[in-house]
Amino acid sequence: MKAWRLHEAGKLTQDELPVQSVGEECVKLKTLACGISLSDVWMYEGKLPLSSAPLIIGRQCVGLVTETGASVTGLTRGDRVAADPYVFCKTCASCKNNRPDECEKMLCYGVDDNGFMSDFSVVPASMLYKLPDRIKDNDAVFIEHIALSINAASKLALEKGEHIVIVGADALGIIMAQVALYYQAVPILVDTDADMLRIAENLGIYYTVNSVETDPMKKIFAITGGKMAETVAFIATSRMAFGRSLEYAAQCGRVALVGWSKMNGDISGAFSTVLKRQLKVMGVNNGARLFSSAINMLATRTVDVSPLISCEIAFGEVENSIRAHAENRNRFVKAVVKP
Protein backbone atom coordinates (compact mmCIF):
# COMPACT_ATOMS: atom_id res chain seq x y z
CA MET A 1 0.00 0.00 0.00
CA LYS A 2 1.40 3.38 -1.04
CA ALA A 3 0.42 6.52 0.85
CA TRP A 4 1.46 10.16 1.13
CA ARG A 5 2.31 10.87 4.77
CA LEU A 6 3.12 14.19 6.38
CA HIS A 7 5.79 13.80 9.06
CA GLU A 8 6.14 17.48 9.90
CA ALA A 9 5.69 20.82 8.16
CA GLY A 10 7.44 20.66 4.80
CA LYS A 11 8.19 16.93 5.02
CA LEU A 12 5.78 14.90 2.91
CA THR A 13 6.85 11.46 1.69
CA GLN A 14 5.37 8.67 -0.38
CA ASP A 15 5.67 5.62 1.87
CA GLU A 16 5.16 1.91 1.39
CA LEU A 17 2.89 0.62 4.18
CA PRO A 18 1.70 -2.86 5.20
CA VAL A 19 -1.51 -4.14 3.65
CA GLN A 20 -4.48 -3.40 5.94
CA SER A 21 -6.86 -6.13 6.99
CA VAL A 22 -10.60 -5.55 6.57
CA GLY A 23 -12.68 -5.59 9.75
CA GLU A 24 -16.22 -6.94 9.97
CA GLU A 25 -17.89 -3.55 9.45
CA CYS A 26 -15.28 -2.10 7.10
CA VAL A 27 -14.61 -1.90 3.38
CA LYS A 28 -11.40 -1.80 1.39
CA LEU A 29 -11.33 0.89 -1.28
CA LYS A 30 -9.14 1.34 -4.31
CA THR A 31 -8.75 5.10 -4.66
CA LEU A 32 -10.06 6.46 -7.98
CA ALA A 33 -9.74 10.19 -7.22
CA CYS A 34 -8.65 12.27 -4.27
CA GLY A 35 -8.87 16.04 -3.94
CA ILE A 36 -6.10 18.22 -2.58
CA SER A 37 -7.72 20.54 -0.05
CA LEU A 38 -6.56 23.66 1.75
CA SER A 39 -6.23 21.63 4.95
CA ASP A 40 -3.53 19.55 3.18
CA VAL A 41 -1.74 22.71 2.07
CA TRP A 42 -1.98 24.41 5.47
CA MET A 43 -0.62 21.36 7.31
CA TYR A 44 2.25 21.16 4.81
CA GLU A 45 3.00 24.84 5.39
CA GLY A 46 2.79 24.46 9.16
CA LYS A 47 -0.18 26.84 9.42
CA LEU A 48 -2.37 24.00 10.69
CA PRO A 49 -0.78 21.86 13.44
CA LEU A 50 -0.56 18.10 12.97
CA SER A 51 -2.76 16.16 15.38
CA SER A 52 -0.48 13.15 14.97
CA ALA A 53 2.51 12.24 12.84
CA PRO A 54 3.07 10.76 10.43
CA LEU A 55 -0.38 11.45 9.00
CA ILE A 56 -1.85 10.25 5.70
CA ILE A 57 -3.30 13.41 4.18
CA GLY A 58 -6.39 13.75 1.95
CA ARG A 59 -9.98 14.06 3.12
CA GLN A 60 -11.90 13.97 -0.19
CA CYS A 61 -12.02 10.52 -1.77
CA VAL A 62 -13.81 8.58 -4.48
CA GLY A 63 -13.08 4.87 -4.45
CA LEU A 64 -13.96 1.45 -5.79
CA VAL A 65 -15.00 -1.26 -3.33
CA THR A 66 -12.60 -4.20 -3.62
CA GLU A 67 -13.40 -6.10 -0.42
CA THR A 68 -16.13 -5.99 2.24
CA GLY A 69 -16.21 -7.15 5.86
CA ALA A 70 -18.43 -10.00 7.01
CA SER A 71 -21.07 -7.69 8.55
CA VAL A 72 -21.29 -5.21 5.67
CA THR A 73 -24.57 -5.00 3.78
CA GLY A 74 -25.60 -2.73 0.91
CA LEU A 75 -22.12 -2.56 -0.61
CA THR A 76 -20.50 -5.09 -2.88
CA ARG A 77 -17.24 -5.43 -4.75
CA GLY A 78 -17.19 -3.10 -7.76
CA ASP A 79 -19.38 -0.38 -6.23
CA ARG A 80 -18.12 3.15 -6.74
CA VAL A 81 -18.46 5.28 -3.63
CA ALA A 82 -17.70 8.65 -2.04
CA ALA A 83 -16.36 8.81 1.51
CA ASP A 84 -17.70 11.19 4.15
CA PRO A 85 -14.57 12.18 6.12
CA TYR A 86 -16.35 13.13 9.34
CA VAL A 87 -16.55 10.85 12.37
CA PHE A 88 -18.96 11.54 15.25
CA CYS A 89 -18.54 10.47 18.85
CA LYS A 90 -22.15 9.20 19.24
CA THR A 91 -21.95 9.94 22.98
CA CYS A 92 -22.29 13.73 23.33
CA ALA A 93 -25.65 15.44 23.85
CA SER A 94 -25.89 16.52 20.19
CA CYS A 95 -25.26 13.02 18.86
CA LYS A 96 -27.75 11.48 21.29
CA ASN A 97 -30.36 14.01 20.15
CA ASN A 98 -29.86 13.13 16.47
CA ARG A 99 -27.80 16.23 15.69
CA PRO A 100 -24.47 14.67 14.65
CA ASP A 101 -23.49 17.77 12.66
CA GLU A 102 -23.20 19.54 16.04
CA CYS A 103 -21.02 16.81 17.60
CA GLU A 104 -18.74 18.16 20.33
CA LYS A 105 -15.90 15.72 19.56
CA MET A 106 -16.05 15.54 15.78
CA LEU A 107 -13.00 14.17 13.97
CA CYS A 108 -12.05 14.44 10.31
CA TYR A 109 -10.11 11.91 8.27
CA GLY A 110 -7.06 13.51 6.71
CA VAL A 111 -6.81 16.07 9.53
CA ASP A 112 -7.38 14.32 12.87
CA ASP A 113 -6.73 10.78 11.64
CA ASN A 114 -5.24 9.12 8.56
CA GLY A 115 -6.92 10.23 5.34
CA PHE A 116 -7.29 8.87 1.82
CA MET A 117 -4.19 9.96 -0.12
CA SER A 118 -3.23 6.35 -0.74
CA ASP A 119 -3.78 3.73 -3.42
CA PHE A 120 -5.97 1.69 -1.03
CA SER A 121 -7.84 2.52 2.20
CA VAL A 122 -9.82 0.54 4.75
CA VAL A 123 -12.76 2.54 6.12
CA PRO A 124 -16.05 1.89 7.97
CA ALA A 125 -18.84 1.06 5.54
CA SER A 126 -21.11 3.54 7.34
CA MET A 127 -19.16 6.50 5.92
CA LEU A 128 -19.53 5.44 2.28
CA TYR A 129 -22.16 6.50 -0.26
CA LYS A 130 -22.79 4.85 -3.63
CA LEU A 131 -22.35 7.00 -6.71
CA PRO A 132 -24.54 6.83 -9.81
CA ASP A 133 -22.78 6.25 -13.11
CA ARG A 134 -23.56 9.75 -14.38
CA ILE A 135 -21.28 11.37 -11.77
CA LYS A 136 -17.65 11.56 -12.83
CA ASP A 137 -14.90 10.64 -10.37
CA ASN A 138 -13.35 14.11 -10.49
CA ASP A 139 -16.66 15.86 -9.87
CA ALA A 140 -17.42 13.62 -6.89
CA VAL A 141 -14.53 15.03 -4.84
CA PHE A 142 -16.72 18.13 -4.36
CA ILE A 143 -19.54 16.24 -2.62
CA GLU A 144 -18.27 17.39 0.78
CA HIS A 145 -18.49 21.02 -0.41
CA ILE A 146 -22.07 20.54 -1.62
CA ALA A 147 -23.16 18.81 1.60
CA LEU A 148 -21.67 21.64 3.66
CA SER A 149 -23.48 24.21 1.49
CA ILE A 150 -26.80 22.40 1.95
CA ASN A 151 -26.30 22.35 5.70
CA ALA A 152 -25.51 26.08 5.70
CA ALA A 153 -28.64 26.87 3.68
CA SER A 154 -30.71 24.77 6.09
CA LYS A 155 -29.22 26.37 9.21
CA LEU A 156 -29.82 29.81 7.71
CA ALA A 157 -33.43 28.80 7.01
CA LEU A 158 -32.94 30.19 3.52
CA GLU A 159 -36.30 30.94 1.89
CA LYS A 160 -37.57 31.51 -1.63
CA GLY A 161 -36.97 35.06 -2.83
CA GLU A 162 -34.53 36.01 -0.07
CA HIS A 163 -31.19 37.59 -0.87
CA ILE A 164 -28.07 35.86 0.37
CA VAL A 165 -24.70 37.58 0.17
CA ILE A 166 -21.93 35.00 -0.16
CA VAL A 167 -18.54 36.42 0.73
CA GLY A 168 -15.77 34.44 -0.95
CA ALA A 169 -15.78 33.10 -4.51
CA ASP A 170 -13.60 30.04 -4.01
CA ALA A 171 -14.92 26.55 -4.79
CA LEU A 172 -17.12 26.46 -1.69
CA GLY A 173 -18.53 29.95 -2.30
CA ILE A 174 -19.42 29.22 -5.91
CA ILE A 175 -21.05 25.93 -4.93
CA MET A 176 -22.93 27.68 -2.11
CA ALA A 177 -24.29 30.18 -4.66
CA GLN A 178 -25.60 27.35 -6.86
CA VAL A 179 -27.23 25.68 -3.85
CA ALA A 180 -28.90 29.03 -3.03
CA LEU A 181 -30.37 29.09 -6.54
CA TYR A 182 -31.82 25.63 -5.90
CA TYR A 183 -33.58 27.08 -2.85
CA GLN A 184 -34.91 29.84 -5.19
CA ALA A 185 -33.01 32.46 -3.22
CA VAL A 186 -31.05 35.29 -4.87
CA PRO A 187 -27.30 34.87 -4.36
CA ILE A 188 -24.96 37.87 -4.45
CA LEU A 189 -21.34 36.68 -4.67
CA VAL A 190 -18.62 39.05 -3.42
CA ASP A 191 -14.88 38.62 -3.98
CA THR A 192 -11.74 40.34 -5.27
CA ASP A 193 -10.87 37.68 -7.88
CA ALA A 194 -12.29 38.59 -11.28
CA ASP A 195 -11.51 35.16 -12.75
CA MET A 196 -13.45 33.30 -10.05
CA LEU A 197 -16.36 35.70 -10.34
CA ARG A 198 -16.38 35.09 -14.09
CA ILE A 199 -16.63 31.33 -13.47
CA ALA A 200 -19.61 31.99 -11.20
CA GLU A 201 -21.30 34.15 -13.83
CA ASN A 202 -20.86 31.40 -16.42
CA LEU A 203 -22.58 29.02 -14.00
CA GLY A 204 -25.64 31.26 -13.80
CA ILE A 205 -24.84 33.44 -10.77
CA TYR A 206 -26.34 36.70 -11.98
CA TYR A 207 -25.19 39.04 -9.22
CA THR A 208 -21.43 39.14 -8.68
CA VAL A 209 -19.54 41.97 -7.00
CA ASN A 210 -15.84 42.63 -7.48
CA SER A 211 -14.98 44.57 -4.33
CA VAL A 212 -11.82 45.94 -5.97
CA GLU A 213 -13.87 47.75 -8.60
CA THR A 214 -17.17 48.37 -6.79
CA ASP A 215 -18.26 49.28 -3.28
CA PRO A 216 -20.12 46.13 -2.15
CA MET A 217 -22.32 48.10 0.26
CA LYS A 218 -23.66 50.33 -2.50
CA LYS A 219 -24.13 47.42 -4.92
CA ILE A 220 -25.95 45.25 -2.37
CA PHE A 221 -28.06 48.23 -1.30
CA ALA A 222 -29.13 48.72 -4.92
CA ILE A 223 -29.83 45.02 -5.58
CA THR A 224 -31.91 44.61 -2.42
CA GLY A 225 -33.83 47.84 -2.81
CA GLY A 226 -32.15 49.38 0.21
CA LYS A 227 -33.02 46.76 2.81
CA MET A 228 -29.75 44.78 2.50
CA ALA A 229 -29.68 40.96 2.55
CA GLU A 230 -31.78 38.75 4.80
CA THR A 231 -28.90 36.27 4.98
CA VAL A 232 -25.11 36.35 4.67
CA ALA A 233 -22.75 33.39 4.26
CA PHE A 234 -19.12 34.19 4.99
CA ILE A 235 -16.83 31.54 3.48
CA ALA A 236 -14.13 30.91 6.08
CA THR A 237 -11.41 30.35 3.46
CA SER A 238 -12.05 33.68 1.74
CA ARG A 239 -9.63 36.56 2.03
CA MET A 240 -12.35 39.07 2.79
CA ALA A 241 -13.04 40.79 6.13
CA PHE A 242 -15.63 39.08 8.31
CA GLY A 243 -16.50 42.28 10.16
CA ARG A 244 -17.23 44.08 6.91
CA SER A 245 -19.44 41.18 5.81
CA LEU A 246 -21.73 41.69 8.79
CA GLU A 247 -22.69 45.06 7.37
CA TYR A 248 -24.23 43.39 4.32
CA ALA A 249 -26.99 41.89 6.49
CA ALA A 250 -30.38 43.49 7.01
CA GLN A 251 -31.75 44.33 10.46
CA CYS A 252 -32.27 41.06 12.39
CA GLY A 253 -30.62 39.17 9.53
CA ARG A 254 -29.02 35.70 9.71
CA VAL A 255 -25.29 35.23 9.23
CA ALA A 256 -23.39 31.96 8.83
CA LEU A 257 -19.66 31.47 9.04
CA VAL A 258 -19.22 28.51 6.67
CA GLY A 259 -16.11 26.37 6.46
CA TRP A 260 -14.01 23.86 8.31
CA SER A 261 -13.33 24.32 12.00
CA LYS A 262 -9.56 23.86 11.79
CA MET A 263 -8.83 26.82 9.57
CA ASN A 264 -5.93 29.17 9.19
CA GLY A 265 -5.79 32.36 11.24
CA ASP A 266 -8.28 34.24 13.35
CA ILE A 267 -11.48 35.96 12.32
CA SER A 268 -12.07 39.37 13.76
CA GLY A 269 -14.27 42.29 12.91
CA ALA A 270 -16.63 44.98 14.12
CA PHE A 271 -18.87 42.78 16.24
CA SER A 272 -20.76 45.85 17.40
CA THR A 273 -22.68 45.38 14.14
CA VAL A 274 -24.08 42.11 15.54
CA LEU A 275 -25.56 43.98 18.49
CA LYS A 276 -26.65 47.06 16.57
CA ARG A 277 -28.55 45.06 13.95
CA GLN A 278 -29.49 42.18 16.28
CA LEU A 279 -28.03 39.62 13.92
CA LYS A 280 -28.28 35.90 14.40
CA VAL A 281 -24.76 34.53 13.83
CA MET A 282 -23.97 30.82 13.54
CA GLY A 283 -21.13 28.55 12.52
CA VAL A 284 -21.52 25.66 10.05
CA ASN A 285 -18.49 23.39 9.65
CA ASN A 286 -19.67 20.12 8.07
CA GLY A 287 -22.31 18.43 5.92
CA ALA A 288 -23.18 15.59 8.26
CA ARG A 289 -25.61 13.02 6.84
CA LEU A 290 -26.22 15.20 3.77
CA PHE A 291 -24.02 13.31 1.31
CA SER A 292 -27.06 11.65 -0.30
CA SER A 293 -28.66 15.04 -0.97
CA ALA A 294 -25.37 16.38 -2.28
CA ILE A 295 -24.96 13.40 -4.61
CA ASN A 296 -28.47 14.00 -5.96
CA MET A 297 -27.66 17.66 -6.68
CA LEU A 298 -24.53 16.61 -8.53
CA ALA A 299 -26.29 13.84 -10.48
CA THR A 300 -29.08 16.18 -11.62
CA ARG A 301 -26.60 18.93 -12.52
CA THR A 302 -28.26 21.25 -10.02
CA VAL A 303 -24.68 22.00 -9.05
CA ASP A 304 -21.97 22.08 -11.74
CA VAL A 305 -18.42 21.70 -10.41
CA SER A 306 -16.54 20.90 -13.61
CA PRO A 307 -15.14 24.47 -14.05
CA LEU A 308 -13.67 24.29 -10.54
CA ILE A 309 -11.13 21.57 -11.36
CA SER A 310 -7.79 23.24 -11.98
CA CYS A 311 -5.80 20.17 -12.96
CA GLU A 312 -5.55 16.41 -12.77
CA ILE A 313 -2.28 15.02 -11.42
CA ALA A 314 -0.66 11.63 -11.05
CA PHE A 315 -0.18 10.08 -7.63
CA GLY A 316 3.56 10.70 -7.68
CA GLU A 317 3.08 14.46 -8.19
CA VAL A 318 1.22 15.14 -4.91
CA GLU A 319 4.05 16.89 -3.06
CA ASN A 320 4.97 19.07 -6.04
CA SER A 321 1.34 20.08 -6.46
CA ILE A 322 0.90 20.94 -2.77
CA ARG A 323 4.12 22.96 -2.79
CA ALA A 324 3.02 24.84 -5.91
CA HIS A 325 -0.38 25.47 -4.33
CA ALA A 326 1.27 26.88 -1.22
CA GLU A 327 3.50 29.17 -3.28
CA ASN A 328 0.66 30.50 -5.44
CA ARG A 329 -2.83 29.76 -4.18
CA ASN A 330 -4.42 31.77 -6.99
CA ARG A 331 -3.27 29.20 -9.56
CA PHE A 332 -5.47 26.48 -8.14
CA VAL A 333 -9.10 25.92 -7.30
CA LYS A 334 -9.02 22.14 -6.95
CA ALA A 335 -6.32 19.70 -7.99
CA VAL A 336 -7.53 16.10 -8.37
CA VAL A 337 -5.13 13.22 -7.76
CA LYS A 338 -5.55 10.09 -9.90
CA PRO A 339 -3.68 7.13 -8.36
Side-chain angles (χ1 to χ4, degrees):
M1 171 178 154
K2 294 182 173 62
W4 281 99
R5 297 198 298 174
L6 187 61
H7 300 260
E8 60 186 41
K11 185 180 180 182
L12 183 65
T13 60
Q14 184 182 159
D15 299 334
E16 188 71 40
L17 303 178
V19 175
Q20 293 178 285
S21 59
V22 180
E24 283 194 3
E25 298 179 350
C26 293
V27 167
K28 177 175 279 189
L29 295 181
K30 175 180 173 59
T31 304
L32 299 176
C34 194
I36 292 178
S37 64
L38 279 177
S39 58
D40 300 322
V41 178
W42 286 339
M43 286 190 295
Y44 181 80
E45 293 180 293
K47 295 177 179 178
L48 183 63
L50 279 172
S51 56
S52 62
L55 178 78
I56 300 175
I57 63 171
R59 64 174 218 241
Q60 297 155 351
C61 172
V62 179
L64 190 72
V65 175
T66 60
E67 188 178 346
T68 60
S71 301
V72 174
T73 58
L75 290 173
T76 59
R77 184 177 178 180
D79 285 341
R80 200 167 55 104
V81 296
D84 184 343
Y86 288 100
V87 181
F88 311 103
C89 72
K90 300 180 182 179
T91 59
C92 70
S94 296
C95 286
K96 288 181 177 180
N97 285 284
N98 199 32
R99 301 195 312 273
D101 62 310
E102 299 174 8
C103 175
E104 298 171 14
K105 304 173 185 176
M106 188 184 303
L107 299 178
C108 181
Y109 281 80
V111 179
D112 302 301
D113 202 349
N114 284 327
F116 305 104
M117 198 68 76
S118 55
D119 52 0
F120 287 89
S121 301
V122 174
V123 297
S126 59
M127 63 188 294
L128 301 177
Y129 294 79
K130 284 185 183 181
L131 292 173
D133 292 339
R134 67 176 63 188
I135 295 180
K136 299 177 182 178
D137 293 342
N138 288 3
D139 292 351
V141 301
F142 291 95
I143 289 171
E144 182 193 358
H145 294 68
I146 302 170
L148 175 57
S149 297
I150 295 171
N151 197 20
S154 176
K155 290 288 177 63
L156 283 167
L158 191 60
E159 296 183 3
K160 178 180 179 180
E162 287 189 329
H163 293 89
I164 175 170
V165 175
I166 300 167
V167 182
D170 59 4
L172 179 58
I174 291 174
I175 288 171
M176 179 81 202
Q178 294 181 77
V179 169
L181 287 176
Y182 172 79
Y183 281 81
Q184 299 184 57
V186 183
I188 304 169
L189 190 60
V190 181
D191 204 283
T192 59
D193 190 324
D195 291 334
M196 294 302 294
L197 291 173
R198 193 172 300 112
I199 290 174
E201 291 167 0
N202 291 337
L203 289 171
I205 310 305
Y206 184 75
Y207 293 118
T208 62
V209 182
N210 187 330
S211 61
V212 174
E213 302 173 351
T214 306
D215 182 347
M217 287 289 291
K218 292 181 179 179
K219 187 69 176 287
I220 295 166
F221 185 91
I223 293 171
T224 61
K227 60 185 177 62
M228 305 305 286
E230 294 89 347
T231 62
V232 173
F234 180 85
I235 306 302
T237 47
S238 81
R239 296 176 177 176
M240 311 290 285
F242 179 55
R244 175 68 166 169
S245 302
L246 297 173
E247 298 176 3
Y248 304 152
Q251 186 74 18
C252 298
R254 290 106 63 198
V255 179
L257 174 57
V258 185
W260 293 275
S261 56
K262 294 191 174 180
M263 53 175 291
N264 178 35
D266 296 323
I267 292 179
S268 59
F271 292 104
S272 60
T273 305
V274 175
L275 296 174
K276 182 180 178 181
R277 297 193 181 180
Q278 300 185 66
L279 303 179
K280 180 180 180 181
V281 181
M282 66 201 77
V284 186
N285 70 2
N286 67 88
R289 297 171 61 180
L290 291 169
F291 263 49
S292 294
S293 298
I295 288 169
N296 182 63
M297 281 195 176
L298 199 55
T300 58
R301 303 288 286 184
T302 301
V303 173
D304 184 0
V305 298
S306 54
L308 303 177
I309 298 172
S310 303
C311 58
E312 184 179 297
I313 64 172
F315 190 67
E317 298 172 356
V318 168
E319 183 180 18
N320 290 336
S321 180
I322 288 179
R323 188 186 300 116
H325 195 132
E327 292 172 353
N328 187 356
R329 177 177 160 186
N330 291 336
R331 281 183 53 201
F332 298 92
V333 182
K334 177 65 69 178
V336 177
V337 182
K338 304 288 283 189

